[in-house]
Amino acid sequence: MGILPLPRFLRCSKKKSVDITTETANNGEPERELWANKADYLLSMVGYGVGLGNVWRFPYLCFKHGGGAFLIPYVIMLALAGLPLFFLECSIGQFGSLGPIAIWRMVPLFQGIGVTMVLISGLVTIYYNVIVAYSLYYLFASFNSYLPWSQCFHWADSKCRDGISGLCNVTLDNATVQ
């Protein structure tokens, strides 16, 4: 009994060429690039897995939700959900050498997952570009001798607030209440 061949869309290319301008026999689509060595792949996965949220938000969440006690459910969920899903996504992507939309054709029921992955990646890209734009704005604005946010203007009170904070006492006149 022999091994069944893989469907055409799941076959990996064994070619070592990284020239994406050459056309292949696969319906005129360009060849996909391959990793040059294991270090390239490892650094790419570290860059994919470690983002701004890991460096910036994780210590804040630990502090807000109990310090070291927060690490117990975090490590449990990391072991049960995070790492297996990360491994699944990386292994399916490496095995199939296809994009997120094409790779999910292997299970017709889940074809929407690939489209959703692309949409979420687009939204995250927009979100991170806004964060980078704010960072660059404040970086270059801080090189001026006068900082726009160093003083309060006519719109603020003595504590540089734009509105009334605290309790507001509202009373109704008995003549207007019916």
Side-chain angles (χ1 to χ4, degrees):
M1 179 186 257
I3 298 175
L4 294 174
L6 291 173
R8 190 185 64 146
F9 63 88
L10 289 178
R11 292 184 190 141
C12 291
S13 173
K14 299 295 182 188
K15 295 182 180 180
K16 296 296 181 184
S17 171
V18 292
D19 183 16
I20 61 171
T21 60
T22 60
E23 301 282 328
T24 64
N26 283 340
N27 300 326
E29 295 179 11
E31 292 182 22
R32 295 184 61 93
E33 293 186 24
L34 301 174
W35 300 110
N37 54 34
K38 291 181 182 181
D40 285 350
Y41 176 73
L42 181 66
L43 290 175
S44 176
M45 290 299 103
V46 168
Y48 170 69
V50 178
L52 183 62
N54 297 87
V55 176
W56 183 351
R57 188 140 169 88
F58 181 72
Y60 167 74
L61 288 174
C62 283
F63 176 73
K64 182 180 176 186
H65 296 295
F70 178 71
L71 290 176
I72 295 169
Y74 179 81
V75 169
I76 291 171
M77 289 309 298
L78 179 71
L80 295 178
L83 290 177
L85 288 174
F86 181 77
F87 178 73
L88 175 71
E89 184 175 351
C90 293
S91 61
I92 288 177
Q94 284 287 61
F95 176 73
S97 294
L98 296 170
I101 294 176
I103 193 67
W104 285 105
R105 288 186 194 146
M106 66 181 169
V107 183
L109 182 64
F110 296 144
Q111 284 183 355
I113 293 175
V115 175
T116 307
M117 289 170 66
V118 171
L119 290 176
I120 290 173
S121 295
L123 291 174
V124 168
T125 302
I126 293 169
Y127 174 75
Y128 277 168
N129 283 331
V130 169
I131 291 175
V132 170
Y134 275 127
S135 302
L136 290 175
Y137 170 75
Y138 285 112
L139 173 72
F140 288 115
S142 67
F143 289 130
N144 294 329
S145 60
Y146 169 74
L147 297 176
W149 55 87
S150 63
Q151 294 180 355
C152 295
F153 298 104
H154 65 280
W155 52 264
D157 61 2
S158 63
K159 295 182 180 178
C160 291
R161 292 182 297 196
D162 187 13
I164 299 171
S165 64
L167 298 175
C168 184
N169 186 9
V170 178
T171 58
L172 296 174
D173 187 15
N174 287 336
T176 60
V177 177
Q178 296 186 13

